[in-house]
């Protein structure tokens, strides 16, 4: 469903670009810092999709009853999330999509914060310290994923939607994890339906899992045997000290997972500094299931692209 929503957005952008050929237009910017969304600023839809989404208090998590199980609580939030998923996205403009995805993310962020608050009160000190470390690692991973998703829009009006959608998917996945922890503390049963578990697994890939997708030596010049190598540092002849993964190009640069700027399920963006200026690289899969390795001095100017099979 998310891919369908993004596809709709891309179609709208294409139509707007085509209709504006020959005329200079100012691109709308509607950047929402997904890590700092405030309910007062984002809990309105300006009558967006009134037919299919009940906007009244849609972002407010219902007051948790002492008698309500964690399973029932998360199911209610899932029902509200389903209303967003089934909104009439095809009738919306880009700004409306940006607003609604921001609210969708806020729905799960509110639930996550509520779960974390109760866990903090109910966990023993040792377990709380472990879960806190885990939560901090997740926040860092989330920030990298959100940044990587937004970067693919090159600063365009679609960027907030891409960021919000990624944040929503990851926060939803994390909410289920914390809900399971809280249910366990309270000796409640808690299960995740298989279809939800599948979407959760897809929403929160680790950087290591993404590198595994690219692992190997990808040839871009058979005549001279030139290639891009994505290898585990421990077995790589050009391994970067202190890293887990090293990326190298025949006769070219060497970078590693230490240089990762952001990533998504199918791409990794790197950022390094060379002689006082920034350099960006991106590993991504193309439509032929080969890889592209792009280079440039900014995110929107990675014009030097190596295509590998």
């Amino acid at each position: 469903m998310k891919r369908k929503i993004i596809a709709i957005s891309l179609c709208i952008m294409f139509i707007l670009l085509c209709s504006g050929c020959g005329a200079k237009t100012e691109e709308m910017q509607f950047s929402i810092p997904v890590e700092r969304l405030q309910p007062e600023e984002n809990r309105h839809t300006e009558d967006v999709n009134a037919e299919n989404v009940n906007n009244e208090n849609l972002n407010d998590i219902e007051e948790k009853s002492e008698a309500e199980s964690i399973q029932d609580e998360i199911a209610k939030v899932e029902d509200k999330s389903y209303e967003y998923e089934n909104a009439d996205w095809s009738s919306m403009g880009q700004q409306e999509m940006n607003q609604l995805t921001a609210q969708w993310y806020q729905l799960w962020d509110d639930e996550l914060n509520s779960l974390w608050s109760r866990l903090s009160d109910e966990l023993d000190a040792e377990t709380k310290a472990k879960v806190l470390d885990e939560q901090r690692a997740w926040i860092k991973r989330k920030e990298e994923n959100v940044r990587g998703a937004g970067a693919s829009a090159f600063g365009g009006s679609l960027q907030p939607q891409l960021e919000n959608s990624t944040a929503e998917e990851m926060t939803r996945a994390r909410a289920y994890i914390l809900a399971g922890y809280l249910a366990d503390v309270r000796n409640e049963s808690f299960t995740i339906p298989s279809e939800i578990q599948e979407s959760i697994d897809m929403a929160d890939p680790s950087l290591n899992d993404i590198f595994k997708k690219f692992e190997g030596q990808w040839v871009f010049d058979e005549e001279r045997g030139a290639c891009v190598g994505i290898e585990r540092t421990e077995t790589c002849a050009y391994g970067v000290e202190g890293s887990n993964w090293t990326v190298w190009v025949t006769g070219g640069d060497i970078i590693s997972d230490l240089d990762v700027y952001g990533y998504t399920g199918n791409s990794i963006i790197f950022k390094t500094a060379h002689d006082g200026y920034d350099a960006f690289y991106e590993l991504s899969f193309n439509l032929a299931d080969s890889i592209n390795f792009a280079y440039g001095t900014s995110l929107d100017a990675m014009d030097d692209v190596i295509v590998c099979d």
Side-chain angles (χ1 to χ4, degrees):
M1 183 65 187
K2 291 291 177 55
R3 291 180 180 177
K4 181 179 179 182
I5 294 170
I6 297 299
I8 291 170
S9 300
L10 291 173
C11 288
I12 291 173
M13 288 182 67
F14 178 76
I15 292 170
L16 290 174
L17 285 172
C18 290
S19 64
C21 289
K24 183 178 181 181
T25 59
E26 183 176 353
E27 184 180 49
M28 176 181 19
Q29 297 294 324
F30 192 77
S31 296
I32 300 175
V34 293
E35 295 299 321
R36 298 184 295 280
L37 287 177
Q38 297 298 320
E40 295 78 12
E41 296 173 355
N42 297 288
R43 288 183 176 173
H44 62 281
T45 62
E46 299 177 3
D47 297 323
V48 173
N49 193 40
E51 300 84 3
N52 295 312
V53 177
N54 177 12
N55 289 321
E56 182 179 1
N57 299 321
L58 196 58
N59 284 22
D60 295 329
I61 303 301
E62 294 181 3
E63 183 178 352
K64 312 302 187 292
S65 168
E66 290 296 326
E68 184 179 50
S69 69
I70 301 302
Q71 188 81 65
D72 289 341
E73 174 187 319
I74 203 79
K76 287 181 178 179
V77 182
E78 191 66 57
D79 286 343
K80 292 182 178 181
S81 182
Y82 187 75
E83 292 178 12
Y84 281 110
E85 183 174 347
N86 287 277
D88 187 10
W89 295 93
S90 62
S91 70
M92 300 180 201
Q94 188 58 58
Q95 181 171 342
E96 293 170 317
M97 291 185 185
N98 292 344
Q99 289 176 326
L100 207 58
T101 52
Q103 293 178 3
W104 193 356
Y105 162 50
Q106 192 72 53
L107 172 72
W108 284 107
D109 195 49
D110 285 347
E111 175 64 11
L112 186 80
N113 289 329
S114 175
L115 290 164
W116 177 252
S117 176
R118 284 171 283 164
L119 265 176
S120 296
D121 291 338
E122 299 180 37
L123 287 173
D124 63 77
E126 183 178 355
T127 305
K128 180 179 177 180
K130 292 179 180 178
V131 177
L132 181 59
D133 286 343
E134 183 182 297
Q135 188 71 1
R136 286 170 174 162
W138 173 80
I139 290 171
K140 183 177 184 295
R141 189 165 68 250
K142 173 189 165 188
E143 290 173 346
E144 290 172 343
N145 272 264
V146 168
R147 188 165 53 213
S152 63
F154 304 116
S157 59
L158 181 61
Q159 181 173 342
Q161 181 183 347
L162 296 175
E163 293 175 341
N164 293 336
S165 294
T166 298
E168 178 271 322
E169 290 172 353
M170 291 193 66
T171 303
R172 172 177 177 257
R174 186 62 183 166
Y176 271 91
I177 299 299
L178 296 191
Y181 289 167
L182 185 57
D184 187 57
V185 170
R186 296 182 176 183
N187 293 315
E188 296 180 11
S189 62
F190 184 80
T191 59
I192 302 176
S194 58
E195 64 274 12
I196 292 179
Q197 184 62 61
E198 184 178 350
S199 64
I200 287 173
D201 292 340
M202 292 176 62
D204 191 10
S206 69
L207 180 59
N208 190 61
D209 288 338
I210 305 305
F211 266 106
K212 286 179 182 178
K213 291 184 179 182
F214 291 98
E215 186 173 7
Q217 295 187 14
W218 300 75
V219 177
F220 62 87
D221 187 341
E222 291 186 5
E223 190 170 317
R224 64 189 184 96
C227 62
V228 174
I230 300 99
E231 300 180 329
R232 298 170 193 271
T233 296
E234 60 187 15
T235 60
C236 179
Y238 316 106
V240 175
E241 185 176 355
S243 69
N244 295 310
W245 292 88
T246 294
V247 180
W248 53 269
V249 183
T250 301
D253 296 330
I254 299 175
I255 53 180
S256 75
D257 57 309
L258 300 178
D259 302 309
V260 170
Y261 178 76
Y263 67 96
T264 68
N266 289 301
S267 68
I268 306 174
I269 298 173
F270 305 83
K271 179 181 179 182
T272 63
H274 288 302
D275 299 325
Y277 66 88
D278 291 332
F280 291 87
Y281 305 81
E282 182 180 23
L283 271 174
S284 62
F285 286 100
N286 56 38
L287 295 177
D289 282 332
S290 300
I291 69 165
N292 292 347
F293 186 60
Y295 166 80
T297 54
S298 68
L299 286 173
D300 57 352
M302 286 190 281
D303 303 323
D304 186 359
V305 182
I306 297 173
V307 179
C308 309
D309 294 318

